[in-house]
Amino acid sequence: MADRPSARQLREWDRRYLWHPFTQMQEWEQEEPLVIERGKGSYLIDTEGRRYLDGTSSIWVNLHGHRHPVLDRALKGQIDKIAHSTLLGLSNPPAILLARELIKVAPPGLSRVFYSDDGSTAVEVALKMAVQYWRQRHPDAGPKSMFLRLKLAYHGDTIGAVSVGNIELFHARFKPLLFPTLEAEPPSCYRCPLGLTYPSCKTACLEPIERILQTRHRDLAGFIVEPLIQAAAGMIIQPPGYLARLRELCTRYNVLLIADEVATGFGRTGKMFACEHDGVTPDLMAVSKGLTGGYLPLAATLTTDEIYRAFLGRYEEFKTFFHGHSYTGNPLGCAVALANLEVFRRQQVLRSLGPKISLLQKLLASLAGMPSVGDIRQQGLMAGIELVQDKMTKEPYPPPARIGHRVATAARARGLLIRPLGNVVVLVPPLSVSREELTRMVEIVRESIDTLSAG
Ligand SMILES: *Cc1c(COP(=O)(O)O)cnc(C)c1O
């Protein structure tokens, strides 16, 4: 092999050849890119050997820390057998075993696993399954080919996922490509449009949704939601019981409930899946990010026997679900995902979360008095700190102030990597984070927010 390129050379080639996701490249080209070469536990290590706390879990995917021995071993073990073979007309042991394990930990009633590659494709699979289900199972129930979604929803970046999403900044310019949907106002307790507080808001929040379901259920194939927390919208949390009520309404009006657990799945909210907090089983559930413990791209759409059976028939009835990807059921991804679930069992990960969640709550509460901290929202080990210009009026900082970005830059200089969502400072540590690391993360967030008032 040629000489190992220097750290400087790599930075230069990055700026010359790469196009980074969700990144204004004009700005990027002016900055020194941070090039991560290694990782260990909660730390990322750059090409200069500098260590950073991974405050985003590498954008919400890592669970048990980097270079976990059980996950590393599973991946190495599988690569000695085969890296990939197709799931079209063939099967492979890791895909089979993982499907079985997923059904064991999934909300009761989910019984089938369909693999894909990432959160967006898992959502696309759910949408297509829902539409085809109604065609084949209840053709007289109405057209049932539209979806109800919440405002500020984020379900991924492919065109179908964008159609059911609603983050204006990401989606507006693609309007001509998107299919029509119905939209409902999500709960947003800090900025409640009705000026209500929990629990008096409980029915008010859901009445408009019930009206839509009542009048449009013949058009609706499904209602897609991020259960419990709209993460990309800025960690907007749904009040207790909200999801259970959505489940009741969907059942009553014969609309499939699609839970997008891509961000919330695998312990992030304190339970294996967010749906469990409300005792809900969706009709379709999309998972990805944490599925492989943050190692490899892999996703799955889980569904019920009722939906699965609607696709059965003789070949020439063409009830087949005609969908799949080149890497569907990739053995490397499935092997490491199996190891991820093994770590959950062996290390009793879910049990270990309670004290960390309480500690995070306590640490975040200590930021509440800061002049620019408007709202602190936490669900499990997902947290958002909304910064405001005026605490009393909740007046937001204007976008050009790039307030979240400024805090993240200050945090990076102090050894913590975070990525804001607009004016919301986001902290999503790995589930394996230690008490000391968690304390240090919030301390750095405090210092970084403090730099704002220092000018
Ligand atoms: C990240 C995310 C997606 C998209 O997943 P990708 O793997 O980035 O395609 C979908 N839904 C939710 C809720 C997400 O957080």
Side-chain angles (χ1 to χ4, degrees):
M1 216 181 109
D3 279 350
R4 199 164 151 263
S6 68
R8 222 183 109 255
Q9 183 75 81
L10 285 169
R11 284 197 295 269
E12 196 187 313
W13 286 342
D14 175 287
R15 282 184 294 223
R16 182 157 350 139
Y17 296 111
L18 267 183
W19 189 343
H20 288 264
F22 281 94
T23 301
Q24 177 42 259
M25 292 305 290
Q26 180 173 309
E27 234 165 51
W28 181 269
E29 288 179 19
Q30 309 305 317
E31 290 169 8
E32 280 291 279
L34 181 50
V35 184
I36 300 301
E37 191 176 57
R38 284 172 296 137
K40 184 81 187 138
S42 301
Y43 284 89
L44 295 170
I45 302 154
D46 75 2
T47 41
E48 316 270 4
R50 284 180 296 230
R51 292 159 60 84
Y52 300 88
L53 281 162
D54 188 356
T56 72
S57 294
S58 294
I59 310 289
W60 316 353
V61 299
N62 192 282
L63 300 177
H64 312 300
H66 299 280
R67 300 222 47 208
H68 192 286
V70 175
L71 276 68
D72 283 9
R73 208 178 314 123
L75 198 46
K76 287 173 182 164
Q78 181 57 39
I79 208 145
D80 283 336
K81 294 176 185 139
I82 189 170
H84 183 67
S85 62
T86 182
L87 222 55
L88 278 69
L90 297 175
S91 199
N92 70 68
I96 297 166
L97 296 173
L98 176 61
R100 181 162 177 265
E101 292 302 320
L102 278 175
I103 292 308
K104 277 191 205 163
V105 297
L110 294 174
S111 57
R112 284 281 165 180
V113 175
F114 190 98
Y115 291 116
S116 57
D117 305 334
D118 50 56
S120 307
T121 48
V123 165
E124 302 266 346
V125 165
L127 301 178
K128 287 173 76 176
M129 275 182 181
V131 168
Q132 193 173 339
Y133 164 78
W134 289 112
R135 288 280 141 86
Q136 292 176 181
R137 184 78 170 82
H138 300 286
D140 303 324
K144 291 192 93 65
S145 55
M146 286 181 84
F147 292 91
L148 178 59
R149 58 169 171 80
L150 293 178
K151 275 189 192 160
L152 300 180
Y154 180 74
H155 297 294
D157 292 335
T158 56
I159 295 298
V162 169
S163 293
V164 290
N166 188 229
I167 293 183
E168 190 66 15
L169 185 63
F170 305 164
H171 299 158
R173 68 210 62 187
F174 300 114
K175 279 234 167 80
L177 301 183
L178 308 182
F179 54 72
T181 54
L182 299 177
E183 82 174 7
E185 202 67 49
S188 170
C189 299
Y190 178 54
R191 297 180 184 280
C192 178
L194 304 169
L196 299 172
T197 51
Y198 185 79
S200 64
C201 59
K202 234 174 140 174
T203 47
C205 218
L206 285 148
E207 261 166 20
I209 292 177
E210 176 155 18
R211 265 198 308 279
I212 296 170
L213 288 169
Q214 210 167 31
T215 53
R216 302 295 301 272
H217 64 91
R218 284 186 59 82
D219 295 315
L220 285 169
F223 183 3
I224 181 164
V225 286
E226 295 157 84
L228 231 60
I229 177 162
Q230 288 187 293
M235 300 292 165
I236 296 176
I237 294 170
Q238 297 156 8
Y242 180 86
L243 188 65
R245 183 74 183 131
L246 290 188
R247 173 69 278 183
E248 282 171 20
L249 290 173
C250 283
T251 304
R252 175 171 334 148
Y253 293 105
N254 229 7
V255 169
L256 299 179
L257 178 64
I258 303 171
D260 177 352
E261 289 254 12
V262 172
T264 50
F266 303 100
R268 205 67 80 179
T269 67
K271 292 189 187 289
M272 191 55 120
F273 296 105
C275 284
E276 292 172 40
H277 290 271
D278 263 9
V280 159
T281 296
D283 298 292
L284 291 146
M285 183 169 104
V287 298
S288 183
K289 291 194 169 95
L291 174 56
T292 60
Y295 270 52
L296 283 174
L298 181 72
T301 305
L302 277 61
T303 192
T304 59
D305 221 40
E306 163 67 15
I307 293 182
Y308 172 72
R309 298 190 70 78
F311 291 75
L312 302 181
R314 282 172 289 107
Y315 177 76
E316 59 274 21
E317 290 178 76
F318 300 121
K319 288 183 170 178
T320 305
F321 188 52
F322 289 107
H323 183 109
H325 302 277
S326 310
Y327 285 97
T328 296
N330 174 253
L332 289 174
C334 291
V336 76
L338 265 171
N340 168 35
L341 293 178
E342 184 190 328
V343 170
F344 267 100
R345 275 194 311 273
R346 269 217 242 160
Q347 297 183 197
Q348 308 210 354
V349 170
L350 292 173
R351 271 234 223 120
S352 75
L353 294 180
K356 294 181 196 183
I357 293 168
S358 314
L359 175 63
L360 180 58
Q361 196 173 2
K362 211 176 88 198
L363 293 166
L364 289 174
S366 75
L367 306 181
M370 299 181 80
S372 53
V373 171
D375 192 27
I376 296 173
R377 300 185 280 271
Q378 181 197 357
Q379 178 65 61
L381 285 180
M382 308 176 83
I385 303 156
E386 182 165 337
L387 302 176
V388 289
Q389 193 154 266
D390 186 321
K391 216 170 159 112
M392 290 309 294
T393 63
K394 303 181 182 179
E395 190 194 333
Y397 280 101
R402 305 209 58 204
I403 214 72
H405 180 75
R406 277 170 57 194
V407 172
T409 304
R412 173 165 151 183
R414 289 165 174 75
L416 168 68
L417 298 181
I418 48 177
R419 195 170 164 90
L421 292 159
N423 296 339
V424 180
V425 175
V426 172
L427 203 55
V428 180
L431 307 186
S432 57
V433 69
S434 71
R435 294 181 67 87
E436 294 70 31
E437 288 162 352
L438 203 51
T439 307
R440 183 71 194 129
M441 283 183 188
V442 178
E443 195 42 47
I444 294 177
V445 167
R446 172 205 301 285
E447 291 169 15
S448 305
I449 295 175
D450 253 339
T451 61
L452 297 177
S453 40

